[in-house]
Amino acid sequence: MLNYILGRLLTFVPTFIGVTLISFGFIRMLPGDPIIVMAGERGLTEERYAELSAQFGFDRPLPVQFWEYLTGVLQGDLGTSFVTKRPVWDEFFSLFPATLELSVCAMIFAVALGLPAGVIAAVNRGKFFDRALMSTALVGYSMPIFWWALLLIIVVSGTLQWTPVSGRIDLLYYFPNPTGFMLYDSLVSGQSGAFGSAVRHLVLPTIVLGTIPLAVIARQTRSAMLEVLSEDYIRTARAKGLNPSRINGIHALRNALIPVITVIGLSVGTLLAGAILTETIFSWPGIGKWMVDSIFRRDYPVVQGGLLLIAVMVMIVNLIVDMLYGVINPKIRKR
Amino acid sequence: MTETAASPAPPAEAPERPGRLREFWFYFRENRGAVAGLWVFAGFAFLALFGPWIAPHDATEQFRDFALQPPVWQEGGSWTYVLGTDPLGRDMLSRLIEGARYSFFVGIVVVSVAASGGIFIGVLSGFAPKWVDTIIMRVMDIILAFPSLLLALVLVAILGPSLTNAMIAIAIVLQPHYVRLTRASVLSERQKDYVTSARVVGAGRLRLMFITVLPNCLAPIIVQAALSFSTAILDAAALGFLGMGAQPPTPEWGTMLAEAREFILRAWWVVTFPGLAILVTVLAINLMGDGLRDALDPKMKRS
């Protein structure tokens, strides 16, 4: 087991360096000299340009610059935003709770509906329920989520007036944000109505972001269940006269969960990509919106640092999933 | 999916093209969803090819006096603009038909570029010495570590926002999937006896790679191609929606949605139809892809 973990960690290192190299390379490939972009309309004298260039280290050879960038990254130094002048690292972690809160809610939504849907479909294979559920799942899987968001806004926020259109909480409520998790903060603040407002703001983004993972989980659960249900030990359990719901719910589902857990883990990338669209549409102040805004503002250090942090996060989650997989399924460790 | 149809030994020994095609069609036809998807896709391709001759109006012509006219079945609609007009008075139906052309083009170009590049690298990786293989796979891991839409977004920011650059970015992002898939099937095919015998007979390395092995790896790649066709359309629309894809006044469906966003609470049709077009197209392609997978995957045939 230890060997397996060490082996996985070893492949992590070159990938990490590669990801750093890519995000480092991007800022040098972007059109326009970052220093000139930063100066904006005012323009620069040549001395000032040379001074800034030395300050950012752009005058040194590229390998040296990369080495400094890499050592900086490892110490949590990702540079400073051109626009807000705050360290990228701080900005990322002040916005991250918003994205995390939304992603976790979306994932709970997806698992809570996707798992039962997949199981029901598998148990009723070929019957009406199976077809209806799987057709719905395919529609969800094919959904352009930015349009889905707009539709929900039209119907739920527009016609029914049930939920607000954007943001995380009504402007009415204000409290210092100690954790950044709005659900928790609003509950702790003790202001009446604050928690309800936070929940209402969260509903539509959660549905939008959770739709594709929901469809993927439902489809994956169904096919994993079908595979397990045809195994011999299930037939034995049936022959023993066990109650069918016990067979499906415990004997089959437990083994069907293994591939499903992988899919859930791999959805993290999908969630972060989806967060870009969802957060932009609902003006949700998280990482996705921050990245899109920074790309439009040409705030290069932010684009560079954000890209790197997101990629590293996806890599860490994939690593954890791989290890969990090794724990659950001993066959994999042996390879 | 009947038991009897699959039980005779598959005619792998005499792989005559029409026979294979007929076998494929036999299985494909059984999946009604896939056939429906095929029909919708055929309609989509037809619109893409002949759109300008079918559309009632020019897609960019602005009928200023008829801005934001609702569709025909709603109060104030007219048969001149069947699906209504957008805020600039352009005919929605004509723009949607014209948009089919862009999405189709995106799908074709992205899939061809990503697939041909990915297959080539994948076959190379499957046959190359271990260290080359490791390097290639690490590079693919690195690309896959970035969420695809984010990477595409940053690539477009570097290249400059346009439909062509969006297509390049999406192709780069989709390519690693082909590399992995091709490599995996090449590695398993390479072990088989027919490859050894071809080598013994004296087939050169290139011949082994592309003529002996590759055709036997194509089934999963074809399925992947169908599925990434829909991913390409979705991603291009998403980039267009974020203002990083096709630029206005191009009637690309995602770009149309972005332009219509501020009117969502006033004119539902300018938002509803472009998205519906994306959904129906993507859904049809995914249905087709599922059918392709079932028809091409011998394991599924017996289930």
Side-chain angles (χ1 to χ4, degrees):
Chain A
M1 188 64 207
L2 197 66
N3 275 345
Y4 173 76
I5 291 179
L6 282 180
R8 287 293 298 125
L9 281 176
L10 271 183
T11 62
F12 187 83
V13 175
T15 318
F16 172 74
I17 294 178
V19 166
T20 319
L21 191 61
I22 286 190
S23 64
F24 168 82
F26 274 152
I27 200 170
R28 271 121 196 117
M29 287 192 287
L30 280 160
D33 189 325
I35 293 178
I36 293 183
V37 171
M38 203 170 27
E41 311 245 310
R42 283 168 296 159
L44 277 172
T45 59
E46 256 175 55
E47 296 92 71
R48 183 74 184 129
Y49 181 87
E51 197 182 307
L52 279 174
S53 179
Q55 186 190 329
F56 288 103
F58 289 151
D59 55 345
R60 271 171 291 171
L62 277 180
V64 176
Q65 286 187 40
F66 178 63
W67 176 251
E68 283 183 354
Y69 179 65
L70 189 63
T71 47
V73 165
L74 290 175
Q75 294 164 30
D77 174 18
L78 289 168
T80 343
S81 158
F82 285 169
V83 177
T84 60
K85 310 288 181 206
R86 287 177 58 205
V88 174
W89 184 273
D90 295 358
E91 282 215 332
F92 184 90
F93 285 100
S94 70
L95 294 170
F96 185 61
T99 301
L100 188 62
E101 184 174 44
L102 176 57
S103 306
V104 168
C105 289
M107 211 64 225
I108 292 174
F109 167 76
V111 173
L113 291 182
L115 266 186
V119 172
I120 293 173
V123 172
N124 295 295
R125 183 181 187 186
K127 293 187 199 143
F128 172 76
F129 258 130
D130 181 23
R131 288 189 189 179
L133 283 172
M134 284 305 114
S135 317
T136 317
L138 194 66
V139 172
Y141 181 69
S142 311
M143 188 65 87
I145 60 166
F146 43 99
W147 176 66
W148 180 221
L150 296 180
L151 273 194
L152 286 174
I153 290 178
I154 293 181
V155 176
V156 182
S157 305
T159 314
L160 301 173
Q161 305 248 320
W162 284 350
T163 63
V165 178
S166 67
R168 292 180 80 189
I169 195 151
D170 283 338
L171 291 174
L172 233 70
Y173 306 102
Y174 174 79
F175 31 84
N177 221 339
T179 61
F181 296 101
M182 198 54 90
L183 286 179
Y184 176 79
D185 290 343
S186 60
L187 198 62
V188 170
S189 75
Q191 299 178 37
S192 64
F195 182 70
S197 170
V199 170
R200 259 179 283 118
H201 279 83
L202 195 58
V203 172
L204 288 191
T206 299
I207 295 176
V208 168
L209 189 56
T211 298
I212 289 182
L214 164 60
V216 173
I217 289 172
R219 276 161 67 95
Q220 184 67 46
T221 309
R222 176 181 180 270
S223 65
M225 274 295 279
L226 283 181
E227 200 151 298
V228 173
L229 283 177
S230 65
E231 300 267 344
D232 287 341
Y233 76 93
I234 294 292
R235 204 177 337 151
T236 314
R238 281 209 188 103
K240 273 200 314 194
L242 276 185
N243 168 347
S245 64
R246 194 179 156 80
I247 297 178
N248 294 329
I250 297 182
H251 292 233
L253 184 59
R254 214 191 244 178
N255 280 302
L257 273 181
I258 297 175
V260 175
I261 288 175
T262 322
V263 167
I264 294 174
L266 295 180
S267 302
V268 172
T270 319
L271 276 180
L272 285 170
I276 294 173
L277 292 164
T278 314
E279 290 180 1
T280 308
I281 294 170
F282 290 102
S283 301
W284 189 266
I287 302 300
K289 187 173 178 331
W290 178 62
M291 285 298 283
V292 172
D293 290 348
S294 308
I295 287 173
F296 278 104
R297 286 191 218 132
R298 306 201 158 267
D299 193 347
Y300 298 146
V302 171
V303 176
Q304 185 179 21
L307 196 63
L308 178 64
L309 285 175
I310 290 175
V312 169
M313 235 155 47
V314 172
M315 281 163 56
I316 291 175
V317 172
N318 286 352
L319 190 70
I320 294 173
V321 171
D322 268 7
M323 288 182 179
L324 274 183
Y325 212 62
V327 173
I328 302 174
N329 190 350
K331 263 192 270 175
I332 294 185
R333 267 179 263 159
K334 297 274 162 56
R335 273 185 217 153
Chain B
M1 324 262 159
T2 46
E3 200 68 55
T4 46
S7 43
E13 278 75 32
E16 275 175 43
R17 293 259 155 212
R20 253 193 203 184
L21 247 175
R22 194 166 305 152
E23 190 201 348
F24 162 74
W25 180 243
F26 176 81
Y27 288 112
F28 188 80
R29 207 182 40 189
E30 291 198 351
N31 187 334
R32 267 189 296 165
V35 175
L38 184 67
W39 278 110
V40 174
F41 184 73
F44 166 64
F46 180 78
L47 286 182
L49 292 174
F50 302 105
W53 292 279
I54 304 168
H57 303 278
D58 186 277
T60 48
E61 196 180 345
Q62 304 180 1
F63 303 94
R64 289 290 172 119
D65 302 335
F66 300 97
L68 284 181
Q69 212 178 70
V72 61
W73 59 86
Q74 224 182 0
E75 178 98 32
S78 77
W79 276 107
T80 327
Y81 311 105
V82 180
L83 294 183
T85 56
D86 73 358
L88 292 176
R90 294 173 296 196
D91 180 43
M92 285 299 290
L93 180 63
S94 310
R95 286 177 73 71
L96 288 175
I97 293 175
E98 183 80 15
R101 170 167 283 200
Y102 290 95
S103 289
F104 191 72
F105 186 58
V106 166
I108 297 276
V109 172
V110 168
V111 170
S112 339
V113 172
S116 52
I119 291 172
F120 182 76
I121 300 176
V123 173
L124 209 66
S125 184
F127 273 91
K130 183 106 191 347
W131 63 274
V132 178
D133 179 40
T134 311
I135 292 178
I136 293 177
M137 292 328 284
R138 278 294 148 270
V139 172
M140 296 305 139
D141 280 353
I142 291 167
I143 300 179
L144 287 174
F146 297 98
S148 61
L149 186 66
L150 179 64
L151 189 59
L153 202 61
V154 175
L155 280 172
V156 173
I158 293 173
L159 300 167
S162 77
L163 190 62
T164 319
N165 290 340
M167 288 193 294
I168 297 174
I170 298 168
I172 292 177
V173 170
L174 287 180
Q175 172 159 291
H177 297 283
Y178 287 95
V179 175
R180 285 191 155 184
L181 204 61
T182 313
R183 174 179 172 271
S185 16
V186 164
L187 284 183
S188 74
E189 285 296 315
R190 254 184 81 178
Q191 316 286 333
K192 295 192 179 160
D193 289 343
Y194 75 95
V195 182
T196 317
S197 53
R199 188 178 292 144
V200 170
V201 171
R205 175 147 284 209
L206 277 178
R207 193 186 164 82
L208 270 184
M209 283 160 79
F210 293 102
I211 298 180
T212 315
V213 170
L214 183 59
N216 292 304
C217 305
L218 281 180
I221 298 174
I222 292 172
V223 176
Q224 176 69 26
L227 295 177
S228 58
F229 201 102
S230 61
T231 315
I233 291 179
L234 268 182
D235 281 359
L239 287 177
F241 180 74
L242 290 171
M244 283 290 186
Q247 298 296 310
T250 313
E252 198 271 325
W253 293 335
T255 312
M256 284 171 74
L257 271 177
E259 283 181 82
R261 247 183 92 178
E262 50 188 303
F263 298 93
I264 50 173
L265 296 181
R266 271 208 286 154
W268 59 268
W269 59 93
V270 289
V271 177
T272 310
F273 294 131
L276 200 61
I278 303 174
L279 175 64
V280 169
T281 312
V282 171
L283 184 61
I285 298 170
N286 284 343
L287 275 170
M288 230 169 58
D290 276 5
L292 272 178
R293 189 192 53 212
D294 294 353
L296 288 175
D297 184 351
K299 256 194 276 172
M300 301 294 283
K301 280 178 201 166
R302 278 173 211 132
S303 67

